[in-house]
């Protein structure tokens, strides 16, 4: 999509006091076009074609865009990004950690490179003057920018492709004020025939397969997967939250993805429940799809912070202390001394030294609207159309989880995932959300995972049970789902006799889900939420390895990741935060960001030269005596001059006429020496910092800008003299 005029896609947000309407942009300030906007515009273009074309293919339309409340459409489209977007973002991430570049690579500077702004107001038809309180300022993406959208068709149907081509040709305007010249675009559809990649078996892969055969002896193995979000993601299994995403990717989402891929390859969709392989993989608890949680900076899977992890507060001149209330001594101390604490939110990973990094999932709010059925109305109205918002997980973050099962099952799942590098999960999978890079690691024994406690549980030990994922417990006596911590203690005691309930820190939730095949929501169930902690005491006679408890899941729907725990004998004595290990080292010189860096460097230089001009006025206050007549003539000469010599020649003719006064002589002397004052910017302390920013062909650029910058220097001086004369007048 090429922008033939400036465009505002209206993100739904503004910048108070500056912009009333803003565009959508990422965390660096690079604008993008949301997929939902473009998909809606393409659908509108298709409806316009239908209005004038008697041979319109309604079947292809329904298949391409889907039906409300029915099957989703075959068209899946991603956000529109500038060329080389991923490479630019990667460079900006590296450069932002560099002390030379970091201070200047803020979103405001980068936004200015891609955008402009317009101010507008409403006119009173009677007085023909601006109405009060109607001034609006809008940010727009500059014309000339090009955006690329990744388009995918779940089924390559020639009728759908032809209709999509027509839609692209018909689509000419998008965004705000499209009837007033904004948002004129030119769209084209590029079709790439991607051949299936043939997996060739190398010597390395043969060796790996032979090693994996040794795992056949293991009963439980682990297959690690990770997801790096390419777009925002909205996933939720909770009943009480309809517009906010969870901060993790549930195992049920991963199970659904693999089940869908299996059905595509086996064509057993209608009789899947009769397929023994399908039943084993997805309908039993033999294979468990664990939740994907965010990773820390060392790429370790983190876990929800327990309710017992708290931070002390209201202590003057002391650093914050992190405590675990699951530890009996800590718990008693907090009660006895009435220590003020506050809860901690986020995720963590405990290292061998006891430290943990605090990881928080970044989220963002996206605004959308559904237009009325009457397409002549361009926006949602009360009772006609709808405005809504979605709080989604921000793109760029990585999540990691596990699949637990036998070697045969995990091998099959691994093969299903090999050809799927890009997957779509959660809601709004066909536009703007849900796109992620999917990667699979090697199969390894489950017991090789990093245990939190390798010690044996002995008689008299207190054991803290931390819930990593939500847990649904079924009381066989009453035949009902319950959220009673004593029920979990009894369940654990039935498997490992000797455990007795002591205390608990409980957070509850209500889980559900959606069954796509049925087109119906799953039953709503009460559950313990992740972060719940139950403290037990062991009174048994035999020693139990703590890992034996950790390696099991508990409760219902274990195959969807529910019921994951970890165990720590006595809880944690101290939990000091872990220092960051990221190094601020750049791997190479800027390449894809040269245009942005050159712009920022030029704008910083303009700012420095304007300050230099103001300083020069303070050094030569006699310039304030210049009269307006000559001042305006000099300004006109300067704005229309071809170069410095051309300007100085015209200035001499003006200032060397008869009746030359003292001011004219002083001014001419200044203009002849103006280069000296102008070039003093090179000794400016701020410029010495900015000059370190490396950009390609900067010397040539500076040479071409020399006269423009010289004009800026003098015009700034002339403008300040004008303002001074107005004040005096």
């Amino acid at each position: 999509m090429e922008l033939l005029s400036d465009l505002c896609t209206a993100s739904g947000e503004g910048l108070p006091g500056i912009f009333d309407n803003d565009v959508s942009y990422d965390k660096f300030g690079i604008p993008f076009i949301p997929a939902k906007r473009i998909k809606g515009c393409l659908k509108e273009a298709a409806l316009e074609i239908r209005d004038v074309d008697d041979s319109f293919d309604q079947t292809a339309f329904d298949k391409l865009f889907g039906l409300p409340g029915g099957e989703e459409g075959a068209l899946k489209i991603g956000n529109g990004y500038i060329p080389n977007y991923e490479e630019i973002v990667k460079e900006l991430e590296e450069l932002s950690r560099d002390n030379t570049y970091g201070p200047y690579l803020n979103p405001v500077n980068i936004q200015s490179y891609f955008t402009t702004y317009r101010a507008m107001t409403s006119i009173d038809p009677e007085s023909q003057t601006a109405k009060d309180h109607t001034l609006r300022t809008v940010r727009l993406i500059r014309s000339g920018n090009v955006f690329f959208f990744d388009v995918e068709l779940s089924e390559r149907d020639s009728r759908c492709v032809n209709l999509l081509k027509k839609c692209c040709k018909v689509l000419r305007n998008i965004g705000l004020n499209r009837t007033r010249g904004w948002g004129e675009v030119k769209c084209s559809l590029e079709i790439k025939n991607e051949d299936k990649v043939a997996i060739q078996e190398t010597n390395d892969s043969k060796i790996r397969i032979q090693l994996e055969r040794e795992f056949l002896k293991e009963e439980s193995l682990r297959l690690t997967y990770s997801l790096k979000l390419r777009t925002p993601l909205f996933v939720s299994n909770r009943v009480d939250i309809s517009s906010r995403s969870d901060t993790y990717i549930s195992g049920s989402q991963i199970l659904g993805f693999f089940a869908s891929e299996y059905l595509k390859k086996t064509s057993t969709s209608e009789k899947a429940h009769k397929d023994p392989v399908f039943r084993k993989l997805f309908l039993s608890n033999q294979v468990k799809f664990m939740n994907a949680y965010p990773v820390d900076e060392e790429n370790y899977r983190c876990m929800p912070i327990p309710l017992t992890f708290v931070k002390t507060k209201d202590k003057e001149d002391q650093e914050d202390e992190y405590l675990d209330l699951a530890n009996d001594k800590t718990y008693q101390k907090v009660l006895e001394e009435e220590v003020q604490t506050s809860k901690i939110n986020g995720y963590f990973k405990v290292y061998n030294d006891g430290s943990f990094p605090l990881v928080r999932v970044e989220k963002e709010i996206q605004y959308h609207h559904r237009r009325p059925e009457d397409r002549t109305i361009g926006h949602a109205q009360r009772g006609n159309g709808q405005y809504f918002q979605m709080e989604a997980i921000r793109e760029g973050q990585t999540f990691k989880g596990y699949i637990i099962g036998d070697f045969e099952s995990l091998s099959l799942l691994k093969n299903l995932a090999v050809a799927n590098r890009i997957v779509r999960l959660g809601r709004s999978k066909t536009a703007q959300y849900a796109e992620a890079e999917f990667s699979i690691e090697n199969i390894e024994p489950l017991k090789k995972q990093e245990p939190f406690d390798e010690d044996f549980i002995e008689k008299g030990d207190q054991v803290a049970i931390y819930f990593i994922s939500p847990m649904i417990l079924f009381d066989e006596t009453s035949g009902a789902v319950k959220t009673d911590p004593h029920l979990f203690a009894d369940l654990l005691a039935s498997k490992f006799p000797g455990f007795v309930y002591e205390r608990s820190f409980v957070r509850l939730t209500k889980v559900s889900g959606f069954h796509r095949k049925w087109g119906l929501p799953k039953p709503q169930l009460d559950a313990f939420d992740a972060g719940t902690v139950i403290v037990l005491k062991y009174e048994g006679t035999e020693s139990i390895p703590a890992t034996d408890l950790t390696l099991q899941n508990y409760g219902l729907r274990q195959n969807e990741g529910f019921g994951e725990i970890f165990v720590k004998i006595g809880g944690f004595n101290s939990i000091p935060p872990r220092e960051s290990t990221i190094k601020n080292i750049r791997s190479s010189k800027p390449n894809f960001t040269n245009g942005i860096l050159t712009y920022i460097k030029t704008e910083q230089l303009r700012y420095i030269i304007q300050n230099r001009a103001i300083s020069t006025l303070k050094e030569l206050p006699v310039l304030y005596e210049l009269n307006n007549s000559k001042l305006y003539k000099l300004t006109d000469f300067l704005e229309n001059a071809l170069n410095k010599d051309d300007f100085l020649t015209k200035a001499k003719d003006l200032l060397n006429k008869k009746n030359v006064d003292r001011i004219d002589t002083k001014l001419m002397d200044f203009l002849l020496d103006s280069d000296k004052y102008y070039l003093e910017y090179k000794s400016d302390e701020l410029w010495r910092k900015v000059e370190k920013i490396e950009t390609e062909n900067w010397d040539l650029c500076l040479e071409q800008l020399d006269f423009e910058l010289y004009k800026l220097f003098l015009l700034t001086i002339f403008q300040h003299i004008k303002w001074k004369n107005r004040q005096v007048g």
Side-chain angles (χ1 to χ4, degrees):
M1 175 182 288
E2 180 184 357
L3 304 190
L4 303 181
S5 67
D6 297 339
L7 165 70
C8 178
T9 51
S11 65
E13 295 184 334
L15 194 60
I18 302 177
F19 294 111
D20 297 282
N21 285 318
D22 210 341
V23 299
S24 298
Y25 49 83
D26 67 7
K27 64 180 180 180
F28 292 105
I30 302 175
F32 66 89
I33 301 177
K36 277 187 173 291
R37 310 285 199 282
I38 185 64
K39 187 178 179 183
C41 291
L42 288 171
K43 185 175 181 180
E44 185 178 10
L47 294 174
E48 291 176 359
I49 296 172
R50 187 178 68 179
D51 291 342
V52 298
D53 187 358
D54 294 334
S55 62
F56 183 80
D57 192 338
Q58 184 66 40
T59 303
F61 174 83
D62 294 339
K63 190 172 183 179
L64 188 64
F65 294 102
L67 297 171
E71 285 291 326
E72 66 182 26
L75 175 63
K76 296 178 175 64
I77 185 167
N79 293 334
Y81 294 107
I82 59 174
N84 302 313
Y85 172 76
E86 293 182 359
E87 289 80 3
I88 290 173
V89 167
K90 184 178 179 181
E91 275 193 14
L92 289 176
E93 286 177 341
E94 290 186 356
L95 293 172
S96 61
R97 295 194 294 266
D98 190 306
N99 293 332
T100 300
Y101 296 81
Y104 307 101
L105 291 177
N106 56 68
V108 174
N109 286 339
I110 296 175
Q111 286 166 5
S112 300
Y113 175 70
F114 292 100
T115 63
T116 183
Y117 66 91
R118 302 277 180 85
M120 52 190 177
T121 188
S122 296
I123 301 297
D124 189 317
E126 295 183 1
S127 65
Q128 294 298 308
T129 59
K131 291 182 180 179
D132 292 338
H133 311 298
T134 60
L135 179 63
R136 296 290 181 270
T137 305
V138 181
R139 196 200 309 258
L140 302 98
I141 306 173
R142 297 179 190 272
S143 62
N145 277 295
V146 179
F147 293 85
F148 292 90
F149 301 80
D150 287 334
V151 178
E152 177 188 342
L153 291 179
S154 55
E155 294 183 33
R156 186 62 67 88
D157 188 323
S158 59
R159 295 178 303 169
C160 291
V161 174
N162 291 333
L163 177 58
L164 187 57
K165 283 182 178 179
K166 291 179 181 179
C167 292
C168 290
K169 290 180 180 179
V170 170
L171 182 58
R172 298 295 179 88
N173 299 88
I174 66 172
L176 292 184
N177 285 350
R178 65 183 78 178
T179 60
R180 292 173 173 82
W182 294 5
E184 184 180 356
V185 299
K186 179 182 178 182
C187 297
S188 59
L189 182 67
E190 299 178 7
I191 300 177
K192 296 181 180 180
N193 294 317
E194 295 184 354
D195 297 328
K196 292 184 178 180
V197 179
I199 302 175
Q200 297 181 352
E201 197 175 80
T202 63
N203 290 331
D204 290 341
S205 64
K206 288 180 180 179
I207 294 172
R208 186 168 63 250
I209 289 172
Q210 186 163 356
L211 289 173
E212 289 178 346
R213 283 174 183 164
E214 297 178 7
F215 297 155
L216 286 169
K217 302 173 184 177
E218 296 280 350
E219 293 181 0
S220 293
L221 301 168
R222 182 181 71 173
L223 179 64
T224 303
Y225 67 88
S226 61
L227 294 152
K228 184 175 182 180
L229 304 188
R230 291 163 55 97
T231 63
L233 177 67
F234 191 102
V235 286
S236 178
N237 283 330
R238 300 175 187 268
V239 175
D240 55 339
I241 302 176
S242 60
S243 61
R244 286 187 292 152
S245 173
D246 291 334
T247 55
Y248 65 94
I249 302 170
S250 67
S252 60
Q253 296 283 342
I254 306 302
L255 184 152
F257 159 70
F258 277 103
S260 177
E261 291 301 313
Y262 180 86
L263 294 176
K264 287 178 184 177
K265 288 180 170 55
T266 58
S267 302
T268 58
S269 179
E270 298 301 323
K271 299 180 180 180
H273 59 287
K274 296 182 180 181
D275 182 350
V277 177
F278 185 88
R279 291 180 62 85
K280 178 183 177 183
L281 292 176
F282 308 114
L283 302 180
S284 70
N285 282 333
Q286 295 182 52
V287 180
K288 300 172 184 176
F289 297 83
M290 314 307 287
N291 296 341
Y293 291 121
V295 300
D296 65 5
E297 63 185 30
E298 297 185 29
N299 204 35
Y300 286 111
R301 179 197 189 221
C302 294
M303 282 162 250
I305 289 182
L307 290 175
T308 55
F309 282 22
V310 295
K311 180 174 64 173
T312 59
K313 62 178 183 179
D314 299 335
K315 286 189 174 183
E316 296 182 0
D317 302 326
Q318 290 187 24
E319 293 186 0
D320 293 331
E321 185 180 3
Y322 293 83
L323 308 173
D324 181 14
L325 299 180
N327 181 274
D328 196 52
K329 292 182 179 179
T330 302
Y331 181 69
Q332 295 300 330
K333 180 181 178 181
V334 169
L335 291 179
E336 292 172 2
E337 299 181 7
E338 298 182 349
V339 179
Q340 294 292 314
T341 62
S342 60
K343 66 178 182 179
I344 312 171
N345 295 317
Y347 294 83
F348 79 110
K349 165 75 172 73
V350 175
Y351 285 83
N352 292 332
D353 59 0
S355 64
F356 74 98
L358 185 61
V359 177
R360 287 190 172 90
V361 175
E362 297 181 12
K363 300 176 78 173
E364 61 184 22
I365 296 177
Q366 298 280 352
Y367 298 89
H368 306 283
H369 78 276
R370 179 172 58 81
R371 291 178 61 178
E373 295 296 329
D374 183 356
R375 300 202 308 279
T376 61
I377 303 174
H379 56 274
Q381 299 175 331
R382 184 183 297 274
N384 193 9
Q386 180 183 10
Y387 282 101
F388 62 96
Q389 66 183 37
M390 299 172 69
E391 186 184 68
I393 304 172
R394 180 170 290 171
E395 74 275 8
Q397 300 176 86
T398 301
F399 295 77
K400 181 175 285 190
Y402 308 129
I403 305 173
I404 298 172
D406 60 85
F407 176 76
E408 184 180 6
S409 299
L410 297 186
S411 297
L412 178 56
L413 294 173
K414 186 176 180 181
N415 290 333
L416 286 174
V418 165
N420 292 278
R421 297 304 179 193
I422 305 299
V423 301
R424 292 178 181 270
L425 305 166
R427 298 187 192 175
S428 297
K429 288 188 286 189
T430 61
Q432 191 164 340
Y433 299 96
E435 192 174 296
E437 295 177 12
F438 190 78
S439 60
I440 289 283
E441 298 178 13
N442 290 330
I443 300 171
E444 60 183 356
L446 181 61
K447 292 182 180 178
K448 282 190 175 181
Q449 69 174 326
E450 295 183 6
F452 285 88
D453 201 332
E454 295 181 339
D455 293 334
F456 283 81
I457 302 172
E458 307 288 352
K459 184 176 181 179
D461 285 341
Q462 281 188 321
V463 179
I465 310 293
Y466 303 87
F467 287 26
I468 296 176
S469 66
M471 183 184 296
I472 307 168
L473 292 182
F474 180 75
D475 185 359
E476 295 183 357
T477 303
S478 62
V481 171
K482 289 187 176 181
T483 51
D484 182 355
H486 292 86
L487 186 58
F488 173 78
D490 295 339
L491 174 63
L492 194 64
S494 66
K495 296 184 178 183
F496 304 94
F499 283 104
V500 179
Y501 174 84
E502 282 211 337
R503 63 178 181 272
S504 60
F505 303 80
V506 173
R507 179 167 55 203
L508 303 180
T509 186
K510 193 181 287 288
V511 298
S512 181
F514 189 81
H515 198 291
R516 183 177 170 187
K517 183 66 177 177
W518 298 340
L520 294 171
K522 293 180 180 179
Q524 298 182 11
L525 300 172
D526 293 317
F528 294 104
D529 201 0
T532 293
V533 180
I534 297 178
V535 180
L536 307 174
K537 188 172 183 179
Y538 182 61
E539 296 181 349
T541 56
E542 297 183 2
S543 300
I544 303 175
T547 51
D548 284 1
L549 278 66
T550 303
L551 296 179
Q552 296 191 35
N553 284 39
Y554 302 85
L556 303 180
R557 292 169 62 174
Q558 296 180 24
N559 62 327
E560 298 178 34
F562 288 88
E564 184 182 2
I565 68 167
F566 74 88
V567 175
K568 179 69 176 175
I569 301 173
F572 292 92
N573 293 321
S574 62
I575 42 177
R578 187 175 181 85
E579 298 294 332
S580 175
T581 59
I582 294 179
K583 297 180 180 179
N584 298 332
I585 298 177
R586 284 191 290 120
S587 59
S588 60
K589 290 185 177 181
N591 183 17
F592 295 96
T593 54
N594 267 308
I596 296 174
L597 293 174
T598 300
Y599 172 82
I600 291 175
K601 193 171 182 178
T602 302
E603 290 302 302
Q604 290 294 321
L605 180 55
R606 290 179 185 275
Y607 170 76
I608 292 167
I609 286 174
Q610 287 177 315
N611 282 343
R612 180 64 240 151
I614 296 170
S615 299
T616 300
L617 266 177
K618 292 179 180 179
E619 296 171 13
L620 301 171
V622 68
L623 296 178
Y624 281 116
E625 299 178 27
L626 182 65
N627 66 63
N628 281 345
S629 174
K630 291 180 180 178
L631 183 63
Y632 280 96
K633 287 181 180 179
L634 287 173
T635 300
D636 182 62
F637 291 160
L638 185 59
E639 289 178 339
N640 294 288
L642 300 175
N643 50 48
K644 293 180 186 178
D645 293 337
D646 184 27
F647 166 68
L648 291 175
T649 299
K650 293 178 180 178
K652 286 179 183 178
D653 292 341
L654 175 67
L655 299 176
N656 288 337
K657 291 181 178 180
K658 293 181 180 180
N659 301 321
V660 174
D661 57 20
R662 180 180 63 86
I663 301 303
D664 293 340
T665 304
K666 289 284 186 180
L667 179 60
M668 196 64 232
D669 291 342
F670 163 71
L671 292 177
L672 292 174
D673 290 339
S674 56
D675 257 353
K676 180 187 73 174
Y677 293 100
Y678 155 65
L679 293 174
E680 283 183 4
Y681 79 82
K682 294 184 177 180
S683 61
D684 189 281
E685 184 178 351
L686 178 57
W687 171 244
R688 289 173 182 171
K689 295 179 180 178
V690 176
E691 193 176 21
K692 294 179 182 178
I693 297 176
E694 300 178 30
T695 61
E696 190 175 346
N697 299 323
W698 171 251
D699 291 337
L700 178 61
C701 178
L702 189 60
E703 184 180 337
Q704 295 172 345
L705 286 171
D706 182 55
F707 182 52
E708 292 298 319
L709 296 173
Y710 174 77
K711 284 170 61 175
L712 177 65
F713 173 75
L714 290 181
L715 288 173
T716 302
I717 290 177
F718 294 163
Q719 185 63 52
H720 276 73
I721 296 173
K722 291 177 187 177
W723 289 337
K724 183 71 173 179
N725 290 343
R726 288 175 188 171
Q727 292 175 357
V728 173

